[in-house]
Amino acid sequence: MLGNFFKKPADDMNGRVPPGQSLTSRFPVLTYGPAPRYKLEDAKVRVFGLAEEREFSWPELRALPQTTLTYDIHCVTHWSKLDTTWTGIRVTDLMPMLILKPEATHVMIHSVGGYTTNLSLGDFVRPENLLASRFGDKPLETEHGGPLRLVVPHLYFWKSAKWINGLEFISADAPGFWERNGYHMRGDPFKDERYSDD
């Protein structure tokens, strides 16, 4: 029997809930197309574009320092989930291993299946951002982006690309999949940046 999975907060909970959002204790699954399923040994992240090209295998990724962080997440479809806990590689721990060209200003995140989303380097290189492989105390489920997804909690959650397999550094902002289809180029939930005309 269906219950009430979403509720309007009485207020913004001391600035934690962006405008137009409802709280949920669930973790809704929203994906364009079927969730790709592949073996862990096939999981990898390729770095390319305006960067010295290299590839991180799954064992190499797992050998990097792992950090656990707790924060709130906000979906453009109007739900927010508070106090979510993730474990993975801090983007700030990964960046010293990369050699970028000076003209790199943005990164296009690539995912298995062809999905992409864009971020400025300023939005990408923040200490709270993770290449996450665990949610709570369990490995990240496929439906939620496992084995590896990006988590960028300060932007709407479509920017936290699931099933990531590539970081393409570029010299100017460019739209990814949802941005080409009408979503905002940046997506700050506290500015209500949902759509391209916001």
Side-chain angles (χ1 to χ4, degrees):
M1 185 171 181
L2 293 176
N4 292 322
F5 300 136
F6 302 92
K7 65 176 182 175
K8 285 280 188 187
D11 53 39
D12 70 355
M13 301 186 68
N14 296 315
R16 293 176 70 183
V17 182
Q21 296 294 105
S22 295
L23 297 179
T24 182
S25 59
R26 296 167 60 87
F27 194 170
V29 175
L30 299 170
T31 303
Y32 182 79
R37 299 183 185 277
Y38 50 99
K39 297 177 181 178
L40 279 182
E41 55 264 32
D42 294 328
K44 56 183 179 260
V45 175
R46 177 186 171 217
V47 176
F48 62 107
L50 296 175
E52 184 174 294
E53 187 159 345
R54 67 173 300 176
E55 189 172 274
F56 293 89
S57 67
W58 182 249
E60 288 172 325
L61 291 166
R62 295 295 299 145
L64 294 176
Q66 303 291 307
T67 299
T68 299
L69 298 172
T70 298
Y71 30 56
D72 306 334
I73 57 175
H74 312 288
C75 182
V76 72
T77 60
H78 297 278
W79 60 262
S80 292
K81 184 172 175 63
L82 305 183
D83 298 316
T84 65
T85 300
W86 304 80
T87 301
I89 305 154
R90 280 188 197 262
V91 170
T92 50
D93 287 337
L94 182 72
M95 290 303 293
M97 306 176 70
L98 310 184
I99 300 173
L100 272 56
K101 294 184 179 178
E103 57 267 36
T105 61
H106 291 74
V107 58
M108 186 68 73
I109 313 300
H110 290 258
S111 299
V112 173
Y115 176 82
T116 55
T117 193
N118 60 310
L119 291 169
S120 70
L121 281 185
D123 282 322
F124 181 62
V125 184
R126 291 172 58 125
E128 70 270 27
N129 294 349
L130 294 175
L131 304 183
S133 58
R134 298 182 70 83
F135 178 71
D137 59 357
K138 297 178 181 177
L140 188 58
E141 295 178 3
T142 301
E143 288 71 20
H144 290 300
L148 192 70
R149 78 174 295 161
L150 183 64
V151 181
V152 181
H154 71 287
L155 299 179
Y156 281 122
F157 217 48
W158 91 80
K159 295 291 187 177
S160 297
K162 300 177 182 179
W163 314 295
I164 65 169
N165 67 355
L167 303 174
E168 179 187 6
F169 291 90
I170 54 181
S171 62
D173 203 4
F177 177 83
W178 284 116
E179 296 81 18
R180 289 193 304 273
N181 286 281
Y183 278 6
H184 197 275
M185 286 291 281
R186 182 159 187 258
D188 184 334
F190 290 93
K191 295 179 180 177
D192 210 13
E193 294 177 339
R194 297 176 196 272
Y195 306 108
S196 58
D197 55 357
D198 288 337

